[in-house]
């Protein structure tokens, strides 16, 4: 394939990924983005905004074809100590449920595939279109109670407890509160 075609395909995939990331980000982690709780991450809205093949290419997580391998790690997100709900239906579309997805706003990440593919927390963040680096916040990631130095490349495991904390950085003139 000519280099221009490859570059064009990568740019197109990136545009789709950024668009999906924006939609999912606005639908989820509502306090972090300053909007009220919503259920906007519906299958119909997702299907109308993305090309499934481009989404799978951009996230690296294919559509589910088998549930022979099944894990359920749990993710809790807090912003300045207040729990934020993990959005429902992340990775679920009309014609595709990605192998990493959510069903409810209960923090359960569903890892379903034909075999153990070694999916990492970063793979799930890719599906969500979310980065743990957020302007104005210090991020703290713990896994099963142990600080993880914000390394998102750890393997997802059944029953794993993941805590992702966002702590506001006070601006000059403000005092930090505990």
């Amino acid at each position: 394939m000519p280099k221009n075609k490859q570059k064009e395909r990568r740019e197109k995939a990136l545009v789709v990924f950024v668009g999906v990331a924006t939609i999912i980000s606005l639908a989820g982690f509502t306090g972090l983005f300053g909007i009220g709780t919503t259920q906007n991450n519906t299958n119909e809205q997702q299907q109308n905004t993305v090309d499934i093949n481009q989404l799978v290419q951009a996230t690296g997580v294919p559509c589910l074809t088998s549930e022979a391998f099944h894990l359920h790690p749990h993710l809790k997100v807090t912003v300045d100590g207040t729990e934020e709900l993990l959005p429902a239906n992340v990775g679920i579309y009309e014609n595709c449920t990605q192998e990493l997805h959510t069903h409810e706003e209960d923090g359960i990440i569903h890892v379903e595939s034909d075999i153990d593919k070694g999916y990492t927390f970063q793979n799930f963040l890719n599906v969500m279109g979310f980065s743990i680096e957020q302007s104005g916040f210090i991020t703290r990631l713990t896994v099963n109670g142990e600080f993880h130095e914000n390394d998102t490349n750890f393997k997802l495991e059944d029953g794993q407890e993941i805590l992702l904390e966002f702590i506001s950085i006070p601006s000059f003139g403000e005092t930090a509160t505990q």
Side-chain angles (χ1 to χ4, degrees):
M1 179 179 291
K3 287 186 179 185
N4 286 343
K5 280 268 196 207
Q6 286 177 334
K7 183 179 178 184
E8 183 179 306
R9 289 182 76 184
R10 279 193 305 266
E11 288 173 353
K12 192 173 186 180
L14 180 62
V15 167
V16 169
F17 182 74
V18 169
V20 170
T22 301
I23 291 165
I24 292 172
S25 293
L26 290 174
F29 296 128
T30 56
L32 189 57
F33 293 98
I35 59 176
T37 301
T38 67
Q39 288 279 342
N40 287 340
N41 196 21
T42 64
N43 295 347
E44 181 180 323
Q45 286 172 327
Q46 287 182 356
Q47 185 62 34
N48 289 336
T49 59
V50 299
D51 176 284
I52 297 301
N53 292 329
Q54 289 178 343
L55 176 70
V56 168
Q57 182 180 0
T59 64
V61 178
C63 297
L64 178 65
T65 58
S66 169
E67 294 182 33
F69 182 80
H70 206 120
L71 299 176
H72 293 109
H74 181 258
L75 172 61
K76 179 179 178 180
V77 177
T78 64
V79 178
D80 293 329
T82 302
E83 186 171 358
E84 294 292 324
L85 297 176
L86 184 65
N89 301 318
V90 169
I92 298 178
Y93 304 87
E94 184 176 326
N95 296 315
C96 172
T97 296
Q98 289 184 278
E99 291 181 341
L100 299 176
H101 59 274
T102 67
H103 291 288
E104 306 293 329
E105 293 179 333
D106 57 6
I108 302 295
I109 300 169
H110 294 259
V111 181
E112 301 172 6
S113 61
D114 53 346
I115 60 170
D116 181 356
K117 295 184 178 176
Y119 283 123
T120 67
F121 185 53
Q122 184 60 54
N123 293 129
F124 179 69
L125 293 174
N126 292 346
V127 169
M128 282 193 62
F130 190 78
S131 169
I132 68 168
E133 300 300 321
Q134 296 291 325
S135 179
F137 291 92
I138 295 170
T139 307
R140 181 178 144 137
L141 176 64
T142 55
V143 181
N144 294 329
E146 295 183 24
F147 181 62
H148 228 265
E149 299 185 32
N150 296 346
D151 178 8
T152 59
N153 289 311
F154 61 88
K155 184 178 176 186
L156 294 172
E157 297 178 4
D158 197 38
Q160 194 171 44
E161 291 293 329
I162 304 164
L163 174 60
L164 183 57
E165 299 172 280
F166 294 94
I167 303 147
S168 293
I169 300 171
S171 62
F172 291 105
E174 290 183 20
T175 57
T177 58
Q178 295 183 346

